[in-house]
Amino acid sequence: MSISLKPIDETNREAVLALSVREDQPFVAPNDVSLRQADETLDEIACEIYKNAKD
């Protein structure tokens, strides 16, 4: 099996959201939750990188 990482954008977002977590993976968040968390923290991470670069 081959695995590759690609950015999530409008052309593949629905396919990513259609993926599901197996019942035997109770500690894996569904993709909609992970994408929402990534959106919420992106600005925070970018600010920290900028802040640290200025130090």
Side-chain angles (χ1 to χ4, degrees):
M1 176 188 339
S2 174
I3 298 174
S4 62
L5 300 177
K6 298 179 181 179
I8 299 171
D9 58 25
E10 294 309 314
T11 66
N12 60 10
R13 181 175 296 273
E14 290 300 318
V16 170
L17 293 174
L19 296 170
S20 60
V21 177
R22 295 189 324 250
E23 288 186 21
D24 66 336
Q25 298 175 304
F27 301 109
V28 178
N31 285 334
D32 63 328
V33 173
S34 296
L35 290 176
R36 187 170 44 254
Q37 288 174 333
D39 284 341
E40 291 170 356
T41 59
L42 185 59
D43 289 336
E44 181 180 321
I45 292 169
C47 288
E48 280 298 314
I49 292 170
Y50 178 74
K51 181 179 136 189
N52 290 333
K54 292 179 68 178
D55 292 344

